[in-house]
Amino acid sequence: MTKRVYSFKEGNAEMKGLLGGKGANLAEMTRLGLPVPNGFTISTEACMDYLNNGRQFTDELKEEIEAYLKQLEEESGKAFNSKENMMLLSVRSGSKFSMPGMMDTVLNLGLNDENVKHLAEITEDETFAYDCYRRLLQMFGDVVYGIDTSHFENFLEFYKRKHRVQLDSDLTAEQLKEIVHEYKRIYLEIKKQEFPQDPKEQLFAAVIAVFSSWNNERAKVYRKLHNIADDLGTAVNIQLMVFGNSGNQSGTGVAFTRNPSTGENKLFGEYLINAQGEDVVAGIRTPSPISELKESMPEIYQEFLEMGELLEKHYGDMQDIEFTIENQKLYLLQTRNGKRTAHAAFKIAVDLVEEGLKTKEGAILSLDPQSVNQLLHPVFVEEALKTADKISSVGLPASPGSATGKICFDAGTAKEWSDRGEKVILVRQETSPEDIGGMVVSEAIVTSRGGMTSHAAVVARGMGTCCVAGCSELEIDEFLKIVKYPNGELHEGDVISVDGTNGDLYVGEVELTLSEKNEDFETIMAWSKEFSRLAIRMNAETKSDIKTGIAFDASGIGLVRTEHMFFAPERLIEMRRFIISQKSEERTKALETILAYQIDDFKEIFSTIEGKSTVIRLLDPPLHEFVPSKQQDVERVATEMGISYEFLNGRINELHEINPMLGHRGCRLAVTYPELYIMQAEAIIRSAIALKNENGLDVAPEIMIPLVGMDGELRLLKEKIEAHIEQIIATEKATVSYTVGTMIELPRACLIADDLAKEADFFSFGTNDLTQMTFGFSRDDAAKYINQYVADGILPVDPFQTLDVSGVGELIRIAVEKTRQTKPNMKIGVCGELGGDPLSIEFFDQLGLDYVSCSPYRVPVAYLAAAQSAIRLKNK
């Protein structure tokens, strides 16, 4: 029989794939001799077996669970239904990768109408016993039977108001008995069945519910957001209960060995006295900072501090630890590498290297390249804040950053408004895992309850979304969609601004600016360049974009899109003269005017990039993009150009194409109008000569011909371009080093790359068009159905965002292999959007490409991803 269950004593930290992160770490802490309540783990394989085989909970698995249950009873001296030493269990999920709050948990399992009385007798605390029972009824009803938890919560709130009870912990035993009675009635009313009294029946039902929670909607959204595979499954951890709700000498909490927002090397966390773990995470009560535990329970605090240091050194990373104190005894329930903001992640990575707990390689691998975008998050302009109308400053700065958007009070509305292009802020009393769909699309999250380790705070930090939690002076009415604050009230759709770094909220829109880089960021970038094999270039043609890329130390420009230079009014009219005119002398005159503009353009680009490698793509779009389409615009342009409306409209109709992206564009345009490319090539070379003469700057432009699919196209155009360039160089008695290459963006070009390599000096893959042409998807229209393809599992990801390795990637592989056979040392790069995608970068690195090029702000992302790829390839 295949083994599907493992005791904590049988596992270790290396078994995350099989035992999930939680199970593997519980086993590892047990191995280290730390105070972990005993238990066992049902493997991720058992979960996937269940989900993939008609949701059959096999007798073999039941027997294996029962065997480990018996072993647990023997080792603990406890048993279900025991009147002397009762065993109660927690049932928790735990996948290979941390997914906080996305899957399900059941606590206090094993209680029933009789056992709750026995527990009261054993503990001599009837209040505690019935508090545990009402918690089980609510969690089991929600997780196992699918009873909306609001049925329980609404009654509890009604009961507390009726009896003037403020906190759950203030309820008496008799009051809890009444609540338990009502909770059991809810089962009968909603599900038409009673709460199961057999502890084993409860256990098997809870295991099935946790297995099933792998495919709940919030878990699927979270996996998609964090690129976690759908076929990993979740383990189920069965563990002896320890009780933080057993009086004022007990408690529960969550703590990080370092600050997850700032990275400061100081214990950071929160706890609640007389509570269970879900109370902290759910944000139902606002907890106390962990520092106060030092005053109330100094010995426990010191013990926890030492255990935290031990775990951090053991794992070589900042730890997120869940703990429970039962009658002055400390237990550890979980440890994992803690989720943190990008700012904290970079600081912690650098600090751990300096402290000798990580190598540079380990530090680089610990970082998420996409988090660089969060590190460079926007902040409010200081001057704008001085006149802003402040709503509140009492909130907790749960996740840094600044954002502005319209208030939404529920996840569904946030998603709906975001889909139509609105920027939204999710405002709730507290968030729950069901809100993940709305949290993902929100610019910021605001809650009136909960602390720095509440669900909202933890998930927001993981997503890099700014968050203000526990803003207690807000009165949020989610039903009426109103939020009241000391000086006024706001309604759904009103605009607010959120400062997650300081915990402040403002009415209306506050101006944003980009935050500045910091020393830790610079250190990680320097290490990344040290390990990266791939060069990182930028896609840029404006002076401001080029300066941004230079600030991030881009090695050059991988794509100058020259068509962007033609749309200024004075240039556009000359381009239109060239296109519309049927007389060669008029077209020549228009090109001479454009040539002067282009020389200035390229001089600015070359001088700004200071001689670094620069690839200039010659004109790519179809001519119809330069002419007007609306009648009133056609009339205006005809007047500007001094021609008749009828003539201009006729020429526009002649240029019309049914499918212009597959039509008269790119090199095809140059075959019929070679003077266009010759003019651009002349502008490039004359600008290089001028810069050499003016300030001694050596420029070696790389001239790229787009959309080549036949070697004859490339050969013809290259010959004409080079002949004209050589004539200029001879006339000017100059020396300019230049190369002529092509953009590989057609499937046919990949398949004849060896022939093209005989003509070209370099290649650059245009992944946008190559993806479009390979799939037959219009990249401008695919958004209408791509998301559905991804949701239905037809596509794993959007191929315009991450490389389709099996299709587009295979074409690139073929092209690279054919090219290297012809010219082993030919420079090959990537200049499409996928050049900035970390997953795609790893594939390009494996193929041995020379560089990737991306938008300027993604240069740091690409550097980090390229370094990680190089390290992983070296370690294989």
Side-chain angles (χ1 to χ4, degrees):
M1 184 176 75
T2 305
K3 185 175 176 61
R4 289 288 186 258
V5 184
Y6 298 78
S7 75
F8 292 168
K9 296 173 184 175
E10 294 177 293
N12 60 60
E14 304 302 315
M15 298 171 69
K16 287 186 178 181
L18 186 67
L19 303 180
K22 187 176 294 181
N25 287 332
L26 285 168
E28 188 73 3
M29 288 194 293
T30 299
R31 195 176 65 81
L32 293 172
L34 294 171
V36 175
N38 199 5
F40 57 89
T41 300
I42 305 168
S43 72
T44 57
E45 291 177 351
C47 172
M48 294 312 297
D49 284 348
Y50 171 79
L51 295 175
N52 293 332
N53 294 296
R55 297 179 178 259
Q56 293 297 312
F57 197 69
T58 64
D59 290 339
E60 289 84 355
L61 181 57
K62 283 184 180 179
E63 289 171 6
E64 196 172 359
I65 292 171
E66 286 183 328
Y68 275 84
L69 195 60
K70 184 177 181 181
Q71 180 180 316
L72 183 60
E73 288 176 336
E74 291 171 353
E75 291 176 352
S76 66
K78 296 183 178 183
F80 282 146
N81 304 323
S82 170
K83 295 181 180 180
E84 291 78 32
N85 209 1
M86 185 182 302
M87 180 174 72
L88 299 181
L89 301 175
S90 66
V91 180
R92 298 174 184 265
S93 61
S95 67
K96 179 179 180 180
F97 300 105
S98 177
M99 295 171 57
M102 296 303 111
M103 292 173 293
D104 291 328
T105 293
V106 177
L107 302 181
N108 307 303
L109 188 140
L111 282 175
N112 56 30
D113 293 348
E114 286 301 313
N115 284 343
V116 69
K117 298 173 186 175
H118 300 325
L119 183 63
E121 292 169 4
I122 293 167
T123 59
E124 298 180 351
D125 191 339
E126 202 173 30
T127 300
F128 160 71
Y130 279 91
D131 181 54
C132 291
Y133 197 19
R134 66 97 183 169
R135 290 171 183 270
L136 171 62
L137 286 165
Q138 179 168 341
M139 296 184 83
F140 194 93
D142 173 26
V143 170
V144 180
Y145 283 178
I147 301 172
D148 193 317
T149 195
S150 64
H151 291 289
F152 301 105
E153 286 293 338
N154 290 343
F155 175 77
L156 184 63
E157 288 302 312
F158 163 77
Y159 189 92
K160 287 194 296 184
R161 283 197 303 271
K162 179 181 177 181
H163 294 273
R164 294 185 175 84
V165 175
Q166 185 173 3
L167 301 175
D168 296 358
S169 54
D170 294 334
L171 291 163
T172 67
E174 292 306 313
Q175 289 171 331
L176 285 164
K177 287 178 183 178
E178 292 178 15
I179 291 167
V180 163
H181 178 78
E182 177 62 22
Y183 278 13
K184 288 163 64 181
R185 192 196 62 76
I186 289 172
Y187 275 74
L188 291 171
E189 180 182 328
I190 304 297
K191 295 300 292 184
K192 305 296 188 288
Q193 61 188 103
E194 295 184 344
F195 173 71
Q197 296 293 301
D198 181 358
K200 284 189 180 179
E201 182 184 343
Q202 295 174 16
L203 177 60
F204 292 137
V207 170
I208 289 171
V210 174
F211 281 167
S212 299
S213 71
W214 175 252
N215 282 332
N216 68 38
E217 191 58 34
R218 64 181 185 267
K220 289 193 284 189
V221 169
Y222 190 90
R223 289 201 296 274
K224 182 179 177 182
L225 178 67
H226 292 276
N227 296 312
I228 298 172
D230 288 328
D231 61 357
L232 299 178
T234 179
V236 182
N237 299 288
I238 314 294
Q239 192 173 20
L240 291 175
M241 280 294 301
V242 286
F243 300 98
N245 60 326
S246 55
N248 290 330
Q249 296 301 305
S250 302
T252 188
V254 177
F256 297 80
T257 54
R258 299 178 191 235
N259 189 305
S261 290
T262 67
E264 181 186 6
N265 188 4
K266 183 179 178 182
L267 189 64
F268 174 95
E270 298 169 325
Y271 74 103
L272 284 169
I273 290 294
N274 197 16
Q276 288 194 344
E278 295 303 305
D279 298 344
V280 178
V281 177
I284 295 168
R285 288 164 56 191
T286 300
S288 303
I290 193 76
S291 57
E292 291 185 12
L293 189 64
K294 189 175 183 179
E295 305 300 322
S296 60
M297 299 183 186
E299 292 180 2
I300 294 291
Y301 179 84
Q302 185 59 35
E303 187 181 0
F304 183 83
L305 196 64
E306 292 170 1
M307 290 179 185
E309 290 175 358
L310 184 153
L311 286 169
E312 184 174 274
K313 288 177 181 176
H314 182 74
Y315 284 99
D317 203 350
M318 181 262 275
Q319 294 298 290
D320 169 4
I321 305 169
E322 292 181 17
F323 65 94
T324 286
I325 304 162
E326 181 181 271
N327 298 320
Q328 288 280 340
K329 181 169 174 54
L330 176 65
Y331 294 93
L332 303 187
L333 305 182
Q334 176 171 319
T335 193
R336 59 189 172 194
N337 292 345
K339 293 194 177 297
R340 62 208 77 177
T341 64
H343 177 79
F346 277 66
K347 176 172 176 52
I348 289 169
V350 171
D351 286 351
L352 290 174
V353 172
E354 292 175 352
E355 294 165 25
L357 295 179
K358 270 193 189 301
T359 61
K360 288 181 184 178
E361 294 96 324
I364 289 170
L365 290 174
S366 73
L367 296 167
D368 175 7
Q370 300 287 16
S371 69
V372 173
N373 297 321
Q374 302 166 22
L375 190 69
L376 303 174
H377 58 68
V379 295
F380 291 132
V381 174
E382 285 296 325
E383 287 300 311
L385 285 177
K386 292 177 182 177
T387 57
D389 181 6
K390 185 175 284 188
I391 296 169
S392 172
S393 59
V394 304
L396 300 171
S399 185
S402 302
T404 294
K406 293 183 176 180
I407 294 174
C408 288
F409 289 95
D410 64 88
T413 303
K415 179 75 166 59
E416 179 186 340
W417 289 16
S418 173
D419 287 345
R420 70 188 192 204
E422 304 275 11
K423 290 187 174 181
V424 299
I425 308 287
L426 186 63
V427 177
R428 291 185 64 73
Q429 292 180 4
E430 71 253 2
T431 63
S432 71
E434 283 72 22
D435 293 320
I436 187 68
M439 297 173 78
V440 167
V441 300
S442 296
E443 303 296 312
I445 298 160
V446 176
T447 68
S448 58
R449 301 177 186 170
M452 297 288 280
T453 57
S454 65
H455 176 267
V458 171
V459 174
R461 283 196 292 270
M463 295 191 301
T465 301
C466 76
C467 175
V468 172
C471 191
S472 56
E473 64 184 3
L474 300 184
E475 293 181 28
I476 299 172
D477 190 320
E478 295 166 3
F479 179 74
L480 295 177
K481 300 183 183 297
I482 296 173
V483 54
K484 295 181 180 179
Y485 62 100
N487 295 319
E489 67 180 38
L490 297 161
H491 301 82
E492 188 161 70
D494 288 345
V495 174
I496 62 170
S497 295
V498 180
D499 184 344
T501 305
N502 299 308
D504 297 334
L505 307 175
Y506 301 89
V507 176
E509 184 172 352
V510 179
E511 185 182 355
L512 292 162
T513 185
L514 285 174
S515 61
E516 296 182 358
K517 297 175 289 183
N518 60 46
E519 189 176 333
D520 298 314
F521 171 84
E522 299 288 2
T523 299
I524 293 294
M525 285 298 106
W527 292 348
S528 295
K529 289 161 203 163
E530 179 184 329
F531 291 104
S532 173
R533 184 196 62 80
L534 281 168
I536 310 299
R537 297 192 188 186
M538 67 178 118
N539 300 337
E541 49 276 337
T542 67
K543 189 171 185 177
S544 61
D545 279 353
I546 295 170
K547 285 186 172 181
T548 298
I550 289 172
F552 291 130
D553 205 17
S555 63
I557 300 177
L559 179 63
V560 171
R561 302 175 181 90
T562 55
E563 58 270 14
H564 290 181
M565 303 170 178
F566 288 87
F567 288 99
E570 70 279 5
R571 301 175 181 218
L572 185 56
I573 195 167
E574 295 302 327
M575 190 64 183
R576 285 170 170 168
R577 289 189 202 283
F578 172 81
I579 295 168
I580 299 303
S581 179
Q582 293 179 320
K583 298 178 181 178
S584 60
E585 60 269 23
E586 288 182 0
R587 289 205 303 272
T588 301
K589 185 178 179 183
L591 284 181
E592 287 174 354
T593 305
I594 296 171
L595 173 66
Y597 288 132
Q598 287 269 271
I599 291 171
D600 289 341
D601 291 333
F602 296 131
K603 282 181 69 177
E604 182 173 75
I605 289 170
F606 292 143
S607 59
T608 306
I609 197 64
E610 299 173 343
K612 291 182 179 179
S613 300
T614 302
V615 175
I616 300 171
R617 182 178 71 186
L618 302 181
L619 200 65
D620 183 47
L623 292 180
H624 81 92
E625 289 192 11
F626 296 98
V627 296
S629 56
K630 296 180 180 178
Q631 181 178 342
Q632 61 267 36
D633 293 332
V634 175
E635 292 172 349
R636 176 180 53 78
V637 170
T639 302
E640 288 175 356
M641 296 182 67
I643 57 178
S644 70
Y645 168 82
E646 290 74 20
F647 175 76
L648 177 56
N649 197 49
R651 287 290 289 137
I652 290 171
N653 288 334
E654 289 173 19
L655 291 170
H656 174 74
E657 294 182 275
I658 300 298
N659 195 340
M661 290 305 290
L662 296 177
H664 196 189
R665 54 171 285 230
C667 69
R668 300 161 194 169
L669 196 61
V671 169
T672 52
Y673 297 100
E675 59 267 40
L676 260 178
Y677 278 13
I678 288 171
M679 176 274 295
Q680 287 192 297
E682 178 172 343
I684 291 167
I685 296 304
R686 288 197 181 279
S687 65
I689 292 171
L691 287 173
K692 180 69 178 288
N693 292 338
E694 291 169 11
N695 55 28
L697 181 64
D698 278 316
V699 176
E702 299 169 61
I703 302 169
M704 185 163 69
I705 300 172
L707 213 69
V708 166
M710 294 168 267
D711 56 342
E713 293 171 321
L714 180 57
R715 185 165 49 250
L716 173 71
L717 294 174
K718 186 183 179 188
E719 286 173 358
K720 290 184 177 183
I721 289 168
E722 287 185 336
H724 192 71
I725 288 174
E726 292 303 324
Q727 184 181 351
I728 295 169
I729 289 173
T731 302
E732 299 295 331
K733 297 182 173 58
T735 302
V736 178
S737 176
Y738 69 94
T739 53
V740 179
T742 189
M743 196 168 182
I744 304 292
E745 48 196 327
L746 298 176
R748 191 177 194 277
C750 294
L751 299 174
I752 63 161
D754 47 349
D755 292 330
L756 294 176
K758 295 171 185 174
E759 304 293 337
D761 298 319
F762 67 89
F763 283 161
S764 182
F765 288 99
T767 56
N768 300 341
D769 261 349
L770 184 56
T771 300
Q772 176 175 238
M773 301 295 188
T774 302
F775 276 96
F777 289 163
S778 165
R779 72 186 191 205
D780 296 321
D781 300 313
K784 296 173 183 175
Y785 51 84
I786 284 287
N787 288 341
Q788 191 63 49
Y789 270 57
V790 173
D792 289 345
I794 299 170
L795 284 171
V797 292
D798 181 344
F800 291 104
Q801 302 297 321
T802 294
L803 184 72
D804 162 49
V805 172
S806 59
V808 180
E810 188 60 23
L811 285 169
I812 294 174
R813 186 192 306 278
I814 290 168
V816 171
E817 289 174 355
K818 283 177 171 283
T819 302
R820 298 295 190 211
Q821 289 168 6
T822 303
K823 286 184 180 177
N825 299 316
M826 192 165 94
K827 188 184 295 181
I828 306 176
V830 171
C831 61
E833 285 302 311
L834 301 187
D837 172 63
L839 294 176
S840 306
I841 286 171
E842 184 156 2
F843 179 82
F844 300 141
D845 195 20
Q846 290 170 355
L847 288 186
L849 301 193
D850 297 289
Y851 69 86
V852 295
S853 188
C854 54
S855 61
Y857 278 104
R858 289 188 68 79
V859 167
V861 176
Y863 265 124
L864 183 52
Q868 290 179 339
S869 174
I871 293 166
R872 281 193 284 263
L873 288 173
K874 181 182 175 183
N875 293 338
K876 277 188 176 179

